[in-house]
Amino acid sequence: MSPSPQKHRSLASRFSFFTGLLLVWVVTVVLLWDHTHTFSFFAGIVLIAFTLSIAFLISRFTMRVLTRPLALLREGITSVQQGVFKPIQISETNDEIQDLGNSFNRMIEELQRTNREIQQHRDLLEDRIRQRTEELENAMSTALAASQAKSDFLANMSHELRTPMNGLLGMLDVTLESQLDDEQRENLETAHRSAYSLLALLNDILDLSKIEAGRMMVEQIPFQLRPVLEDCVKSFQARAQQKKIALHFTIDSAAPAAVIGDPLRLRQIVTNLVSNAIKFTEHGFVAVLIRATPPETVPLPNSENRPALAQVSIQVRDTGAGIDNEKLDSIFDKFTQADGSITRKYGGTGLGLAITKRLTELQGGHVAVESTLGVGSTFTVTLPYPVIEEPAPSQAQVPEIPESEWSRPARILVVEDNVVNQKVVLAVLRKRKFHIDVANDGREALSHMEASEPFDLILMDVQMPILDGLETTRIIRKDPRWSSLPILAMTA
């Protein structure tokens, strides 16, 4: 750090010195003028020239000592403002301006050093960000691979779990139709109910896993709204009678007759809500009310109109235990119940409402609940459905069967690779006196069709080794001999 300029070399001392000289000169001129008391032309010219010379010297001094150093200082500050940290050019004036310039240069050096440190930190931060980004990308790739593996596992597990359950339930059904004593029948009916409970639990877990994995498909097909809902509610009539509670079903006359949507998922939603309502209701009633807003036609940019869209509201009301207001927000979470204590009166996994909410949202709807503890609950599901005109009854042409074949037992080809499922299907069909052939895979099924008499029906499993049911059906449909042969997909 350079020392401050000496007082006798400062700007103030210099200008004081020149000001003093100027005053001495003025006083001298005045005295000389007063001494002669006459005006001399030559003296006047000399005086003017001397005055101009003094003015020129003062201006040069001002430019050298003050103006130019200040200009250089201003240029340096401007370059610093523009981000150019270059030392300021300083005039050797040995005064305050030179000291100020030195101070600015020291500041610029500090800024350069700080800027270098910032750049180093920035480079280090960019390297760390790049490294973290690569780690995140690797982690994301691993997570996506794990998610895909999970989805594949769930798809396979869905089939592998339902297949033995289907065999268990089928064999129980067949056995229950046989001659049994009272104790055997009671034991088998208990096993039958337990197997259905286990199947329902498996279905809930697999459905929720499919939804979370993004593998749940929602169909868009035409269906009759009222029959689907009526059948779903009627299936709970026996349970309601056992608990001695009333089960009501009401559908608004304004509700559309035919809509486009997924009837299976609609059944699943209503089944979960009605099942919960009956389970938690000890006395009183459970009411299912269907309402709909008037359909609204939505115009498209190409001046065409989409099918009118109706908001179908499904309200399930019960007079059951009710839900505490503090727990209303959490009842749609998976594995959550209104009463989570160990000694809770009602069982269950808490998956029904979670699946209901997710299925509703997958179809563009929403679900709401109102409840009073000890009074009852009301669940409302609103779904948007495109409304279609109810089709006229079709005049289907039923092929005539020759009279000679009226008494002939139907020939059915069962294509199924699982031995237990084969036994179940055979036990059911043989009771009805059908003639049955069995194939273990698609290739064997094609061989049966080539070698034996024509079949009246094919029951085709979907997932099979060697040749699956879908590909086998495509091959059959390409052959004109079997283009109209009925094929029913069969899966656990």
Side-chain angles (χ1 to χ4, degrees):
M1 182 175 179
S2 61
S4 299
Q6 300 296 326
K7 290 185 177 181
H8 66 277
R9 306 191 69 179
S10 65
L11 287 175
S13 61
R14 291 179 181 183
F15 277 100
S16 298
F17 176 74
F18 278 102
T19 303
L21 288 179
L22 183 60
L23 291 175
V24 170
W25 174 77
V26 170
V27 170
T28 302
V29 170
V30 171
L31 291 176
L32 291 175
W33 178 263
D34 289 341
H35 179 72
T36 57
H37 294 287
T38 58
F39 176 77
S40 172
F41 184 77
F42 177 75
I45 293 176
V46 171
L47 183 61
I48 292 172
F50 186 74
T51 301
L52 292 175
S53 299
I54 293 298
F56 176 76
L57 291 175
I58 291 175
S59 65
R60 294 296 299 173
F61 173 79
T62 303
M63 292 178 61
R64 186 177 69 85
V65 175
L66 185 61
T67 305
R68 185 171 181 274
L70 289 177
L72 293 175
L73 188 62
R74 184 186 61 186
E75 292 177 2
I77 294 174
T78 303
S79 65
V80 171
Q81 289 177 344
Q82 296 173 353
V84 181
F85 299 106
K86 187 172 74 172
I88 298 174
Q89 183 180 354
I90 302 174
S91 298
E92 296 295 333
T93 56
N94 296 319
D95 52 21
E96 292 90 339
I97 296 179
Q98 181 179 353
D99 185 57
L100 182 61
N102 291 330
S103 298
F104 270 109
N105 282 339
R106 288 192 297 273
M107 182 185 68
I108 291 172
E109 290 177 0
E110 289 296 323
L111 289 174
Q112 288 176 336
R113 183 181 60 80
T114 304
N115 193 45
R116 286 193 298 269
E117 292 178 355
I118 292 174
Q119 186 62 40
Q120 291 175 357
H121 286 295
R122 183 182 301 166
D123 295 339
L124 180 60
L125 182 60
E126 289 178 354
D127 291 338
R128 289 181 178 177
I129 292 175
R130 190 180 303 107
Q131 182 180 359
R132 295 292 186 272
T133 302
E134 292 176 356
E135 292 176 355
L136 286 175
E137 289 177 352
N138 293 333
M140 183 177 294
S141 300
T142 303
L144 290 175
S147 177
Q148 183 62 39
K150 175 185 174 183
S151 299
D152 295 339
F153 170 78
L154 289 173
N156 295 328
M157 187 58 63
S158 174
H159 183 265
E160 296 300 325
L161 287 175
R162 287 185 172 115
T163 297
M165 286 301 301
N166 177 68
L168 175 62
L169 291 169
M171 295 309 294
L172 286 173
D173 286 334
V174 171
T175 306
L176 284 171
E177 293 179 2
S178 62
Q179 297 295 328
L180 301 170
D181 59 37
D182 292 341
E183 183 179 358
Q184 290 174 332
R185 182 170 298 279
E186 183 179 356
N187 293 339
L188 287 176
E189 286 177 349
T190 301
H192 192 259
R193 288 192 296 270
S194 299
Y196 266 109
S197 298
L198 180 57
L199 180 61
L201 174 61
L202 290 175
N203 287 338
D204 284 346
I205 294 175
L206 293 171
D207 283 344
L208 184 62
S209 300
K210 279 187 177 181
I211 292 172
E212 291 182 343
R215 296 285 296 268
M216 179 64 73
M217 303 300 295
V218 177
E219 289 188 314
Q220 294 294 324
I221 60 175
F223 69 94
Q224 301 291 318
L225 186 63
R226 185 185 187 100
V228 170
L229 296 172
E230 278 185 342
D231 291 344
C232 185
V233 175
K234 284 180 180 178
S235 65
F236 289 94
Q237 196 67 51
R239 285 179 55 185
Q241 290 177 356
Q242 288 177 357
K243 297 192 69 173
K244 297 181 180 181
I245 60 176
L247 179 59
H248 305 292
F249 175 75
T250 306
I251 185 168
D252 191 358
S253 59
V259 297
I260 297 176
D262 192 327
L264 176 62
R265 302 307 168 197
L266 177 60
R267 283 179 180 270
Q268 198 169 356
I269 291 171
V270 177
T271 296
N272 286 338
L273 294 179
V274 177
S275 176
N276 270 1
I278 293 176
K279 180 171 71 172
F280 291 100
T281 301
E282 297 297 333
H283 55 81
F285 66 89
V286 172
V288 181
L289 175 61
I290 312 300
R291 292 191 178 97
T293 60
E296 294 183 0
T297 302
V298 181
L300 293 178
N302 58 1
S303 74
E304 296 180 0
N305 290 329
R306 287 186 292 187
L309 196 67
Q311 299 290 335
V312 178
S313 174
I314 304 165
Q315 188 179 87
V316 179
R317 181 185 175 192
D318 64 69
T319 56
I323 306 169
D324 192 351
N325 288 332
E326 295 179 357
K327 299 178 180 179
L328 286 178
D329 294 335
S330 63
I331 61 172
F332 292 103
D333 297 337
K334 56 186 179 181
F335 306 111
T336 300
Q337 288 192 337
D339 181 6
S341 62
I342 299 177
T343 59
R344 68 182 186 269
K345 181 178 179 180
Y346 305 100
T349 60
L351 292 177
L353 290 179
I355 294 174
T356 296
K357 181 180 180 181
R358 285 161 174 78
L359 288 178
T360 302
E361 292 173 348
L362 279 176
Q363 299 177 81
H366 64 273
V367 58
V369 58
E370 297 178 359
S371 184
T372 303
L373 196 62
V375 177
S377 305
T378 301
F379 287 84
T380 304
V381 171
T382 304
L383 295 168
Y385 282 133
V387 179
I388 58 175
E389 295 293 335
E390 190 171 359
S394 60
Q395 302 296 329
Q397 297 295 328
V398 180
E400 295 185 1
I401 301 176
E403 188 174 352
S404 59
E405 298 186 8
W406 284 3
S407 60
R408 178 181 68 82
R411 292 177 54 82
I412 299 177
L413 176 60
V414 177
V415 189
E416 170 64 61
D417 63 310
N418 186 274
V419 178
V420 177
N421 286 344
Q422 290 179 2
K423 291 182 179 180
V424 174
V425 175
L426 291 176
V428 173
L429 296 180
R430 280 172 180 166
K431 284 189 176 183
R432 289 156 178 81
K433 308 301 181 182
F434 294 126
H435 179 79
I436 307 162
D437 284 357
V438 178
N440 293 303
D441 55 66
R443 185 175 297 173
E444 189 174 332
L446 296 175
S447 300
H448 276 275
M449 296 179 67
E450 291 286 354
S452 62
E453 296 180 10
F455 291 98
D456 300 301
L457 175 67
I458 298 178
L459 297 180
M460 183 76 71
D461 188 18
V462 178
Q463 293 186 5
M464 294 183 296
I466 303 178
L467 195 62
D468 63 33
L470 298 177
E471 188 60 31
T472 304
T473 302
R474 294 188 186 99
I475 295 174
I476 293 174
R477 285 290 178 251
K478 290 180 181 178
D479 195 316
R481 295 174 295 172
W482 306 318
S483 59
S484 59
L485 176 62
I487 303 175
L488 296 183
M490 182 178 63
T491 180

